[in-house]
Every structure is written in C-alpha cells, then in structure tokens.
Amino acid sequence: MALTNSQFDSIRREYDKRQFESRHRVTDHIEELYKRSPRIREIDRSIAALSVKQAQKLLDGDQSALKSLRSSLRTLTQEKDSLIQSLGFDLDYIEPSYHCPDCKDTGYVNGKKCHCFTQAAIDLVYTQSNLKEVLKRENFDTFDFHLFSDEVVDPVTNLTPHESMQLAVDKCKYYVEHFSAQRRNLFFTGPTGVGKTFLSNCIAKELLDHGFSVIYFTATRLFDVFHNNAYNKSSEASDTYQNIFNCDLLIIDDLGTEVSNAYTNSQLFTCINERLLRNNATIISSNYGIGEISQVYSERTFSRIMKSFDLIKLTGNDLRLIG
C-alpha cells in the first residue's frame, strides 16, 4: 500500500513508541527484581562477564574452555530462573511484550512489511478508527439473542428470527475460525435492521484481532472510490482502488442503496470477479433478495454471487425500533 512520507512516518513513530515502551517496561521489571533480590543483579553481571569470555574463547578456538563456560552460564541461568519464580513472577516477566509477536513491533518480517503494518496503513488511509469504535460495541461478545423473536415463523425458511440468527452466528463463527484456510464469501440478505451489518462487524472484529486486513465500505462509498479512480487519475485514487482488491476481506454494506446504473453494475462485477481471481474474501449485505439481485444487477454479477457466495438470509422486525 502506497503511503505519503508523512503517513509512513506517522506509522513508524507508533512502532518506535511501542518498542520504547517495551524496553522501558523490561527495565522497570529488572530493577524491581534487583531491589527484591540483589543476588539476581550479581548473576546478571556474572553472565555478562562469562558471555564476553565465551565469545573470546570461541574466537580463539579453545573448545575445552568453551564447554566449561557454557556449563557455568547454564548454572547461573538456572539459579536466576529459580530466584525469579521464588519471588512469585513468571519467567517471561523480564521478557519484552509485543503488540505483534510476529514482527516484534518492528513492522517487518524477513525484510517484508508485516501484516500488522499493512493493517496500520489501511487504518490510516481509510480512517477506519470510526469502524473500530463501532466494533467495540458490535461483536460476538456483545451479541444478544434475546432481541430476536422465537415466536413468529418465517413462511419461506420455516424458522423463527431467533433460530435464523442462531444459525447465522454459527456460520459466521465457523467462517472466522477457518478463514486462513478457506477464503469464502458471504452474502447477508434480509430486511432493514435485522442484524446484517452487526454480523459483518462481528466478523471484521475477529479478523482484525487476528491480523488480517479488512476494509469496510458502504456500497455508495465504494462506487465513489471507483468513480474517483476512473476520473481523478491521481496516485492516491489508484492506490485506494487497488487496495480494494488486495485486502484480505472487503465488506460491502447496504448494496442497493447506491444509484444503480450500467457503470455501477459493471464496477460491481469487476470488484467481485477480481477478488475471486485473487482468492480474497468478500462479504456483501443487502436488503435485496436474490430475485431482486438478478433484476437490478447484470446476469454475470448474479451468476458470480450465486456460485461463489454463501447466502445467509435473516428475518424479523427492525431491531432499531425495539425499545
């Protein structure tokens, strides 16, 4: 993902801050151990001195002395570990803790940008902090099945809204658990306010927490991006357009609220088809039923959705009117 210099510097500063805080935390923990057990300080000094000797013996090729030094280091390390545990601390108390253990908060793994850096860039470019605030409220942990009626049966699915939502949540959790191996696509359909966006947010929260890149757009905003790429001709517009195809998961919310015409229909097909070719996942939510999708959008788009998306139909009344 292309970033301006200021955007890149902003992300790098955050990584530098994380590393500084981690080092400072480790230093504080070590000082606490030294105060509570001066012997630990003595051991650390001995380990440092022996390590220097070990390096020199290794350079000199003195294997017999090297073996003795290693034995001494092992004995000192075991004593230190025993003392730390006797004080009631875990052995990782003096180890750095990382926001991202994969890159150890450097932003890079084997010279390549880590997945956490990619998501940080997405968050910055798309200002998805607002989405993350929503995800604090809308996730699997805050899901309330009591909001869904267990009395009225839908004549088409023969399920109550409660039963329908239970099946939907189970499918969404399965989707998250198997996302690494199976980049499947979901299509949520149902009337306004039955939980389609909420479920999309639940999935987004879980995948973001596991380091996957997620981009969320309403359908209207998505087509604005397509329009800007076609007519703006700026590098920023082009980068935004490409990121839509490259992210691990693209969420298109409220499909059908946009002004539908030949251009939007063509762009929707391109988006869906290109992401399928790249094996990247897409979630679409819409008030439209499948029959309406076939009427509003092209036959090619309808065919891609029918063949490549798992349909999840939700029923019930508008939850926003409850209470």
Side-chain angles (χ1 to χ4, degrees):
M1 174 178 295
L3 297 169
T4 65
N5 289 337
S6 62
Q7 288 173 329
F8 182 85
D9 290 343
S10 175
I11 294 176
R12 286 304 323 163
R13 283 195 297 271
E14 180 60 29
Y15 279 101
D16 291 341
K17 178 183 176 184
R18 292 177 183 179
Q19 293 179 59
F20 173 80
E21 290 175 347
S22 179
R23 289 193 297 269
H24 186 70
R25 185 164 50 249
V26 169
T27 300
D28 287 345
H29 288 181
I30 291 174
E31 287 301 322
E32 181 180 1
L33 292 177
Y34 286 170
K35 289 179 182 178
R36 298 183 62 175
S37 175
R39 174 56 183 160
I40 295 178
R41 185 193 296 272
E42 294 174 5
I43 291 174
D44 278 347
R45 288 173 175 171
S46 297
I47 288 175
L50 280 173
S51 296
V52 173
K53 287 185 179 180
Q54 185 184 52
Q56 186 59 53
K57 294 295 182 182
L58 186 62
L59 291 173
D60 294 342
D62 188 348
Q63 295 298 321
S64 59
L66 184 59
K67 184 177 180 180
S68 175
L69 286 173
R70 286 176 175 171
S71 177
S72 298
L73 283 172
R74 193 160 46 246
T75 300
L76 287 169
T77 300
Q78 290 172 349
E79 182 186 355
K80 177 181 175 181
D81 290 347
S82 179
L83 285 171
I84 292 174
Q85 290 176 321
S86 70
L87 294 173
F89 297 103
D90 293 330
L91 294 181
D92 62 1
Y93 184 65
I94 55 174
E95 295 297 325
S97 59
Y98 303 108
H99 287 77
C100 178
D102 293 333
C103 70
K104 296 181 172 54
D105 292 343
T106 63
Y108 290 82
V109 177
N110 297 325
K112 296 182 180 180
K113 289 178 182 176
C114 181
H115 58 79
C116 66
F117 191 103
T118 300
Q119 187 60 49
I122 287 174
D123 292 344
L124 182 63
V125 172
Y126 298 103
T127 320
Q128 289 198 125
S129 57
N130 290 335
L131 173 61
K132 289 192 173 182
E133 287 302 313
V134 171
L135 299 187
K136 292 178 182 179
R137 304 187 303 271
E138 300 186 4
N139 54 71
F140 287 126
D141 291 334
T142 63
F143 200 94
D144 186 1
F145 283 103
H146 293 96
L147 296 174
F148 302 89
S149 171
D150 203 15
E151 298 177 358
V152 181
V153 177
D154 183 86
V156 177
T157 63
N158 201 33
L159 298 171
T160 65
H162 186 278
E163 292 170 332
S164 174
M165 184 53 71
Q166 182 65 67
L167 287 173
V169 169
D170 289 345
K171 289 179 180 178
C172 290
K173 289 184 176 180
Y174 181 90
Y175 179 88
V176 169
E177 291 170 2
H178 296 82
F179 188 81
S180 294
Q182 301 177 356
R183 296 295 178 91
R184 300 186 64 83
N185 309 288
L186 300 178
F187 190 99
F188 293 112
T189 179
T192 300
V194 293
K196 300 186 299 296
T197 299
F198 197 108
L199 285 179
S200 296
N201 289 342
C202 288
I203 292 173
K205 170 70 163 57
E206 294 297 317
L207 294 183
L208 284 169
D209 287 349
H210 285 82
F212 292 103
S213 55
V214 178
I215 295 179
Y216 169 95
F217 280 125
T218 62
T220 300
R221 174 63 182 131
L222 179 70
F223 290 115
D224 284 344
V225 171
F226 292 154
H227 182 273
N228 288 337
N229 177 68
Y231 298 103
N232 192 343
K233 300 302 182 184
S234 69
S235 59
E236 182 179 354
S238 177
D239 290 339
T240 303
Y241 181 75
Q242 288 302 321
N243 292 332
I244 287 173
F245 300 124
N246 292 329
C247 63
D248 295 319
L249 173 66
L250 172 67
I251 298 176
I252 307 174
D253 199 19
D254 281 336
L255 182 68
T257 57
E258 78 285 353
V259 177
S260 180
N261 51 45
Y263 176 77
T264 57
N265 289 352
S266 172
Q267 291 301 303
L268 178 62
F269 172 79
T270 298
C271 178
I272 292 174
N273 191 60
E274 186 63 28
R275 288 189 60 79
L276 287 172
L277 292 174
R278 301 188 189 191
N279 195 34
N280 288 326
T282 306
I283 293 178
I284 300 174
S285 69
S286 178
N287 295 344
Y288 285 152
I290 290 299
E292 293 170 298
I293 292 292
S294 66
Q295 295 172 9
V296 175
Y297 300 99
S298 68
E299 181 63 32
R300 292 191 306 168
T301 301
F302 175 70
S303 176
R304 288 293 188 277
I305 291 174
M306 289 301 294
K307 291 180 179 178
S308 306
F309 283 70
D310 296 331
L311 178 66
I312 298 180
K313 186 178 188 299
L314 303 178
T315 62
N317 298 321
D318 191 337
L319 299 176
R320 295 172 297 182
L321 301 179
I322 296 177

